[in-house]
Structure formats: C-alpha cells, structure tokens
Amino acid sequence: MPRSLSVVVLATLALSTALVGGMQRPDSPLLWSFMNRFITPDGAVVDTQNNGMSHSEGQGYGMLIAVAADDRRRFEQIRQWTMTHLAVRKDGLLAWSWNRQEGRIGDMNAATDGDMLVAWALLRAAERWNAPSYRQAAERHLDAIEALVVKHSGRWLIKPGPSGFMPEGDALHVNLSYWVFPALQAFAKAHDGPWQAVLDDGLKLARRVLEQRAVVPDWIRVGPDGSIHPSSIVGQPGRSGFDAIRVPLYLHWAGLGRDVAERHWQAMQRPDSGKTFVLVRETAEPVVHMAADHAGYAAIGALVSESAPSWPASTLAHDYYPAALQVLSRLATASEADA
C-alpha cells in the first residue's frame, strides 16, 4: 500500500475509533484499563475496597463504561452477570450486593441508584447500537424503579431502597447522591413518569441543604413538614464523604446546579489537611475525619471547579471506587464536549 494511502487509512481508522455513533469516545485506554482491572471475564464488577464484593452500583458503572468504550461484548457480559446474579427480586429491582467469597446474595434489599445506573446504561446502549431490546429492558426497569419515587412533604423524592428508610414515623431518609441527574434527564425523555419533577425537586433539595449546612451530607432525614436534618441511618449524622462526593459529579454531568456543585466542592477544601481535598468531614463544623488526594476523587474537583488542580488523566486510580469516579468524570467531560 502506498505510504500516502496508508496514512489516509490510518487516519480514518483513528477517527472512526474516536467517534462512534456521533459521540466522542473519551480516553479509550482509560476505559479499557478499568474494564480489564475491575471486571471479571464473566461480567462481575469487583469492588476491591469492600472484600471483592459486587453490587448493582458497580454493575451499572461497568455497563456505562462499556457503552462509552463501544464494547458491546463486554456490555453484554456485565448485563448477563447482573441479570443472573442480582435480578432475583419479584418486584423487578436488583438485589444490591453479591458476596463473592460465599457465592451468594449479600443483601436482598435494592439500592435505587444501582437500578437507575443500570436502566440508564441500557438506554445509552439502545442508542449506541440501535438495539430496541435494550430499550425495552430499560423501560421494564424504569417501571420497577418508579415504585420507589414518592411524593413526600410536597417534594418528589427517591427512596434509597424498598425497605428500611422510613423507620421514624413519616420521616424519610434520603441520599442526594442517589439523584443521578443525567440519568433522570434521560428517563424524562424516554419514559413516562415523574422523572423531571424528581430531578427538579432533587436540585431544590440540594440547594435547601446548602442553606443549612456547609456541604451536602451523605444522608439526610426529611420530615413530613419538609424540615431537613442530618440522618444517622447509615454512619454518623452530618458526615459528608464517599456518597456525597458524587453529587457535584452528577450535577455537572447534567449541566445543572453548577453553583451547588462548586459550593459543595469548595466547602470540602481544607488547606491544613495536607491533601488536595477533604473526603470526609462534619457538615456543620469544619472537622476533618479523613482526607485523600486519589486521582479519582480529584477528577471531580477538576471537573466542577476552575480553581481545582489538574489531575493525572492517563493514570487510573488503584482501587475500584476512585477509579470509577475518575472514568465517570471523563465521561462527563466528553458529554460536555458533545453538547
């Protein structure tokens, strides 16, 4: 083949690799590195920080990453593992955890964010590969998720799961990181339901929380009168950390509430911590319990704040969760470029 022609062919191949289905593919080596490191050959996403367990959240992240990498074979492996091992509930939701050491379900309760991530990944897969069967599966999943959307104290709120989050009379315990805002946008376009109202009320709730607290806590309790309080249903009340760190990521990804994302992130910064940012702290008092500077966590700061330092985009974080957040931040950046 003449050199001039080979250059044209290689350039064309490179362009087709970077642009799939009209969407830019972000950092494919980073995506494949995540899949090769954290996803087993049969499609289980392994949480290396939690005894190697697998859970619906991780399966959803893995499916989203496989779609972004245009790897349908890997997507189908993850989907099939999810349906075989976690789709065991009668209500159409996924059991949220799988104990890999014992080879059984770890907890039959569902985690709404995990189900939302899986449904969103199915919608994106249906669009990417023109696959109506994936859209039909997403719609069935959304019908099940809608049962966890409730009108409470005048707001449309998301129950974190079907069991255990209204233990105190009419108060509801919620987690704002379960508002996967870009997923809710996709649901509102694709399926009947209160998805836009849920999105709008989630953003209002985040702003209301930040009127009272320095940063968004992982868990809050919403009373029947609409009052908002720190929740102790999981961990210490008022803590903001591993869960809430996703709130600015999801807001920015959706192109919404960037003032909220920036305010939350800036309030997490503590120069005296000796780290790039604070990971866990009290939300009423400036008390740092844990600080970290993993690339995956710092990636969110670089995404939402112009004052945040740059981060190593090409080096994947060592453990599952910061690595997932690192890759998701790249997907959010690519979505922003496509807009």
Side-chain angles (χ1 to χ4, degrees):
M1 179 184 296
R3 179 174 174 78
S4 58
L5 181 58
S6 67
V7 170
V8 172
V9 171
L10 289 172
T12 302
L13 288 172
L15 180 61
S16 65
T17 300
L19 296 169
V20 181
M23 294 182 287
Q24 182 179 0
R25 186 192 300 174
D27 296 327
S28 291
L30 196 70
L31 308 187
W32 292 328
S33 179
F34 180 93
M35 291 188 292
N36 291 335
R37 187 183 301 177
F38 299 108
I39 301 177
T40 65
D42 63 345
V45 182
V46 178
D47 187 339
T48 56
Q49 293 167 292
N50 285 293
N51 298 316
M53 70 181 294
S54 295
H55 38 65
S56 56
E57 166 212 286
Q59 297 303 116
Y61 287 155
M63 291 167 67
L64 285 170
I65 291 167
V67 173
D70 196 31
D71 190 337
R72 187 168 181 174
R73 180 186 65 84
R74 189 70 64 94
F75 175 88
E76 189 59 29
Q77 287 174 337
I78 302 169
R79 176 173 177 260
Q80 288 298 331
W81 188 96
T82 304
M83 298 306 296
T84 299
H85 294 84
L86 301 183
V88 295
R89 295 176 54 92
K90 295 180 180 179
D91 57 8
L93 299 168
L94 301 172
W96 85 269
S97 73
W98 175 263
N99 187 321
R100 296 187 58 78
Q101 295 178 343
E102 299 180 11
R104 61 177 180 81
I105 292 291
D107 189 339
M108 279 291 292
N109 203 9
T112 312
D113 66 326
D115 285 276
M116 291 174 65
L117 290 163
V118 168
W120 184 30
L122 285 164
L123 287 176
R124 290 170 71 90
E127 180 181 3
R128 169 73 81 182
W129 297 308
N130 190 25
S133 62
Y134 289 153
R135 183 182 177 89
Q136 293 164 4
E139 290 176 344
R140 290 193 299 271
H141 215 72
L142 286 172
D143 287 337
I145 296 169
E146 190 172 347
L148 300 178
V149 174
V150 297
K151 193 71 174 290
H152 178 80
S153 65
R155 299 185 181 94
W156 284 100
L157 300 180
I158 300 171
K159 291 179 64 177
S163 304
F165 295 98
M166 293 188 73
E168 301 174 24
D170 292 327
L172 176 64
H173 296 258
V174 299
N175 186 318
L176 272 166
S177 74
Y178 282 33
W179 268 257
V180 186
F181 288 100
L184 289 167
Q185 288 177 325
F187 299 164
K189 293 177 181 177
H191 193 65
D192 292 338
W195 310 113
Q196 186 62 47
V198 173
L199 186 155
D200 294 340
D201 283 351
L203 181 56
K204 292 175 184 176
L205 181 60
R207 287 200 166 103
R208 177 78 182 278
V209 168
L210 286 178
E211 291 175 359
Q212 302 177 11
R213 316 289 293 181
V215 291
V216 176
D218 289 337
W219 291 88
I220 59 175
R221 177 169 54 87
V222 182
D225 59 353
S227 60
I228 300 170
H229 310 276
S231 170
S232 59
I233 197 165
V234 178
Q236 295 295 317
R239 289 279 189 92
S240 179
F242 291 104
D243 283 0
I245 197 173
R246 295 177 295 188
V247 174
L249 166 63
Y250 292 151
L251 283 170
H252 190 95
W253 197 338
L256 299 170
R258 295 190 178 183
D259 57 322
V260 176
E262 172 81 11
R263 180 176 173 183
H264 173 87
W265 187 264
Q266 291 295 341
M268 289 288 282
Q269 307 311 297
R270 284 291 304 281
D272 61 331
S273 71
K275 299 288 186 179
T276 304
F277 64 92
V278 174
L279 183 60
V280 178
R281 58 163 287 178
E282 297 292 343
T283 62
E285 304 264 343
V287 178
V288 177
H289 297 277
M290 183 185 301
D293 57 1
H294 295 299
Y297 304 136
I300 297 176
L303 179 70
V304 306
S305 175
E306 294 182 357
S307 63
S310 60
W311 53 283
S314 61
T315 303
L316 189 67
H318 182 265
D319 287 313
Y320 152 77
Y321 190 59
L325 296 182
Q326 183 179 355
V327 176
L328 294 174
S329 295
R330 298 305 297 162
L331 301 189
T333 301
S335 294
E336 188 175 37
D338 290 330

